[in-house]
Amino acid sequence: MKFNHYIQNIKSGSIYHGEYIDKLINWHLSEIGKSNEYYFNEDEANRYISFIEVLRLTKGEWAGKNFKLEDWQAFIVAMIFGWRIKANNTRRFTEVTINVPKKNGKTELAAALCLACAVLDNDYGFQIYMAATARDQARLCFETAKQMIKLTPELIEANIFEPLAHSIYCAMFGGAIKAISSEAGGIEGAGASVVIFDEEHLQPTNELRDNLRSGMAARQQPLFISISTAGSDKNKPYYNHLKVCKNILNGISINDRHLVVIYAADEKADWENPKTWQQANPNYGISVREDFIKQQYTDAKNEPFKQPNFITKHLNIWSDSESTWIDSKHWLSLAHNKQLEEFEGNEIYIGLDLGTTGDFSAAIILIVEDDKFYFFTRFWIPDDMAGKRTKIDQLNFRQYARQNYITLTDGNATDYNQIEHDIVELSKRFEIKSLAYDKAFASMLVTRLTNDYDIICNPISQSATALTEPTKKLHELIMDKKIFHDNNPVMAWMVGNVQIYLNDANNNMKVHKGKSKNKVDGVSALVNAIADYMIDYNNNYNNNAEPVWLTM
């Protein structure tokens, strides 16, 4: 049997695999002999496997061919349907979490699981939902199931299903398969018997999950299957869901009714090692083609901003953002232990990023010494907003204020007077070479700093064309370990939020926060400070020629 063959290969070490597959199989083998409430029924497992292998695949070179489950797929099917409750022979698992990298055939498997449950569960009036964040994603799985029916002669001959525009009707059991998304709204999905939740890592809240789960209460053997890859937004609920799942596999949390299957590279594995690619991808060499992964790796190696996407989508490891430059461990390694007072009297560059009314503002104090760059951070946020952002960002900003990582200002609006005061105080202790700011903002503040305190202020366009060179320079300094920071956790959080915006064929780029609500103000201020330094360097060592990117 395929699933036993897979178990044997894992135990013998003949298949590269991650720690969580090891833990699942060890649990499975130990549970077979000791459980008083549950038992493993190989006949039931094979019944579902046999049905799925009658179905036809729908994509690419495999379209129209029988769905011959790979050993790892057969193992998952066996685990879901083989484990039973002794008292009534219903399914043991009411929830299943399958976490697997992209291109491992999860959509075809999800569609097949839906059809298998519809035919084999003997649940009259079943309601099976294919759920996702977006309608298109939910429809993708739904349309795959419809196409699978149309390509499978045995199903057509038996006349089991009637594929309709918005549902797949099953007259035999008076049930239906439908697609549902977070975009639908309302109370759709009530009374689900089976849910296949695709790419749950994209869910902004647990609302759809909770609604679907609570609607399953009256079903005798409900089944909620989540199939997803890793993501890049650790503030979304799926990240915490996976923490719970890992605790189950680690024996920290106990949930006898929740099956967890995680395919991912081990945390300390070398992302550049082909063995790691095999470890994370159970379908490596089949739907995950070796030449495709090699090309994806080459692209990520040559263009570092693509590395997080490679690690997330193909190794199933959560990154700080979809296209962030900097690994959090590398960033932490650049912390210095210096105090700003040590540099008193030195020349400094200041990069400023003023938030919209009532939000974060940031300044970077940049010092260049012996070809090394040191910087110190300053953050301001209105006190009223700190509580709101704490809820949004899941960070305790008031605690950070007590630790002097940020300054809370009175009220609910940006206190430009406080920011001005702090910059003026710096001018008394240091020689401010210049201050760089977003030329679209800060006009009144800059006017006062210039006219009242003789501080040179340079406007920096925030277009991708203008910011490409200083953004590249910053990345170069970080990767070469020539720039060092003051270990401010708010700045580290912002670095983790960064995505890289590429806007044209010339690879012009800038820092941005993507679609998330997370903040990157400190990084934007740092880029402005680097731009300021580059302007000054250019004026002193390049015949005073103005950089072509300065005003674009």
Side-chain angles (χ1 to χ4, degrees):
M1 288 175 286
K2 287 183 176 181
F3 60 87
N4 281 331
H5 186 247
Y6 182 70
I7 292 170
Q8 292 167 6
N9 284 336
I10 293 293
K11 295 303 293 180
S12 69
S14 61
I15 296 176
Y16 292 117
H17 61 281
E19 59 174 315
Y20 292 111
I21 294 301
D22 230 9
K23 289 176 179 180
L24 174 59
I25 286 178
N26 287 338
W27 169 88
H28 167 72
L29 294 175
S30 65
E31 185 76 354
I32 286 177
K34 72 175 186 180
S35 179
N36 294 320
E37 296 181 63
Y38 311 104
Y39 75 105
F40 186 74
N41 188 326
E42 289 195 356
D43 290 338
E44 277 295 294
N46 283 320
R47 192 164 72 96
Y48 282 82
I49 289 171
S50 297
F51 176 86
I52 290 174
E53 293 198 326
V54 169
L55 301 174
R56 303 303 196 270
L57 293 165
T58 69
K59 302 290 192 302
E61 65 187 87
W62 297 283
K65 296 180 180 178
N66 282 87
F67 195 156
K68 293 299 182 184
L69 292 168
E70 298 300 324
D71 288 357
W72 69 276
Q73 293 171 320
F75 169 71
I76 292 175
V77 175
M79 292 292 289
I80 295 171
F81 300 107
W83 275 103
R84 297 275 153 174
I85 300 172
K86 288 182 177 179
N88 57 17
N89 200 39
T90 57
R91 275 193 296 266
R92 170 178 187 164
F93 297 114
T94 60
E95 182 172 3
V96 178
T97 297
I98 303 170
N99 191 238
V100 63
K102 279 188 172 297
K103 303 298 181 183
N104 281 277
K106 65 181 179 59
T107 301
E108 299 271 343
L109 180 59
L113 290 172
C114 277
L115 298 179
C117 288
V119 175
L120 301 182
D121 279 3
N122 293 316
D123 185 2
Y124 194 84
F126 69 78
Q127 293 292 319
I128 297 177
Y129 290 99
M130 295 175 164
T133 302
R135 287 188 182 92
D136 289 347
Q137 186 68 37
R139 292 286 303 185
L140 176 63
C141 191
F142 175 74
E143 293 296 335
T144 299
K146 285 174 65 175
Q147 188 66 11
M148 201 170 272
I149 293 168
K150 293 175 182 178
L151 291 174
T152 303
E154 291 86 347
L155 292 182
I156 296 172
E157 184 177 342
N159 198 28
I160 295 174
F161 295 108
E162 182 182 0
L164 304 172
H166 301 292
S167 68
I168 300 171
Y169 181 66
C170 179
M172 181 186 299
F173 295 104
I177 301 171
K178 300 177 182 177
I180 187 172
S181 73
S182 297
E183 298 171 355
I187 56 170
E188 289 186 62
S193 51
V194 176
V195 172
I196 308 288
F197 208 134
D198 195 17
E199 296 296 12
E200 193 182 356
H201 77 275
L202 296 172
Q203 284 287 298
T205 72
N206 274 330
E207 184 178 4
L208 181 58
R209 163 186 269 269
D210 291 345
N211 286 342
L212 290 168
R213 289 277 287 165
S214 62
M216 305 174 92
R219 296 290 180 174
Q220 185 181 22
Q221 52 174 6
L223 181 61
F224 188 100
I225 302 177
S226 171
I227 305 182
S228 185
T229 59
S232 58
D233 190 344
K234 295 178 181 179
N235 291 315
K236 288 182 177 175
Y238 186 72
Y239 181 71
N240 286 325
H241 172 73
L242 270 192
K243 282 186 176 180
V244 174
C245 290
K246 290 175 181 179
N247 284 341
I248 291 172
L249 289 174
N250 287 327
I252 298 171
S253 300
I254 305 298
N255 189 337
D256 289 339
R257 309 297 298 276
H258 187 174
L259 172 65
V260 179
V261 185
I262 298 176
Y263 285 97
D266 292 342
E267 188 176 339
K268 295 182 180 180
D270 180 5
W271 74 278
E272 299 186 66
N273 189 334
K275 291 182 179 179
T276 301
W277 311 343
Q278 295 178 53
Q279 181 186 73
N281 292 276
N283 236 29
Y284 190 83
I286 305 167
S287 63
V288 182
R289 296 186 181 280
E290 185 176 353
D291 57 348
F292 171 79
I293 289 290
K294 283 183 177 179
Q295 185 58 54
Q296 295 293 301
Y297 161 74
T298 300
D299 291 346
K301 184 70 173 176
N302 293 335
E303 301 176 80
F305 67 88
K306 293 183 177 180
Q307 290 176 16
N309 189 66
F310 178 87
I311 290 169
T312 299
K313 302 306 180 187
H314 301 299
L315 301 186
N316 216 28
I317 296 174
W318 284 73
S319 67
D320 295 315
S321 83
E322 291 179 2
S323 51
T324 188
W325 286 343
I326 311 305
D327 176 78
S328 57
K329 293 179 181 178
H330 183 82
W331 179 258
L332 288 174
S333 74
L334 300 177
H336 63 69
N337 57 5
K338 296 180 179 292
Q339 301 299 315
L340 184 58
E341 290 73 19
E342 298 178 35
F343 296 98
E344 198 152 323
N346 283 31
E347 296 178 344
I348 64 173
Y349 302 90
I350 296 179
L352 189 63
D353 185 88
L354 293 181
T356 55
T357 301
D359 213 337
F360 265 104
S361 293
I364 295 295
I365 303 159
L366 180 67
I367 301 162
V368 184
E369 186 176 79
D370 298 328
D371 293 327
K372 292 183 179 179
F373 294 70
Y374 301 90
F375 73 85
F376 297 83
T377 51
R378 294 290 183 270
F379 294 106
W380 301 267
I381 187 171
D383 186 75
D384 289 356
M385 182 58 68
K388 295 178 182 178
R389 289 227 63 97
T390 292
K391 292 179 181 178
I392 294 171
D393 302 317
Q394 300 297 302
L395 297 172
N396 193 335
F397 290 113
R398 288 198 168 87
Q399 176 66 27
Y400 287 149
R402 288 191 288 271
Q403 295 171 312
N404 296 318
Y405 291 124
I406 63 175
T407 298
L408 298 183
T409 59
D410 293 336
N412 59 6
T414 301
D415 190 341
Y416 296 107
N417 290 330
Q418 179 67 54
I419 297 171
E420 177 184 335
H421 172 270
D422 292 349
I423 292 173
V424 170
E425 288 301 306
L426 286 171
S427 73
K428 296 175 182 179
R429 301 165 53 200
F430 303 90
E431 181 184 344
I432 299 178
K433 291 284 289 182
S434 53
L435 180 150
Y437 66 97
D438 179 354
K439 66 180 184 179
F441 298 99
S443 57
M444 291 182 63
L445 174 60
V446 166
T447 298
R448 290 197 298 270
L449 291 174
T450 302
N451 294 340
D452 298 347
Y453 303 101
D454 295 325
I455 295 174
I456 298 171
C457 297
N458 289 323
I460 304 294
S461 168
Q462 299 299 292
S463 71
T465 304
L467 294 179
T468 294
E469 293 304 321
T471 302
K472 287 181 176 178
K473 179 65 175 178
L474 174 59
H475 180 260
E476 176 187 313
L477 291 171
I478 291 171
M479 298 313 294
D480 290 345
K481 292 193 172 185
K482 292 183 178 180
I483 190 167
F484 305 93
H485 58 79
D486 60 355
N487 205 23
N488 187 319
V490 178
M491 185 67 173
W493 167 66
M494 290 182 176
V495 169
N497 293 337
V498 168
Q499 296 184 28
I500 297 302
Y501 170 73
L502 295 173
N503 75 332
D504 56 36
N506 295 322
N507 280 331
N508 286 329
M509 63 178 64
K510 63 181 288 188
V511 163
H512 79 142
K513 60 183 180 180
K515 298 179 181 179
S516 76
K517 296 179 180 179
N518 292 332
K519 307 301 293 181
V520 296
D521 306 71
V523 184
S524 296
L526 179 55
V527 171
N528 285 343
I530 294 294
D532 209 24
Y533 162 78
M534 293 175 73
I535 293 166
D536 185 57
Y537 184 90
N538 194 75
N539 288 339
N540 284 295
Y541 298 100
N542 196 25
N543 299 320
N544 295 317
E546 185 176 83
V548 296
W549 45 267
L550 177 58
T551 58
M552 291 181 178

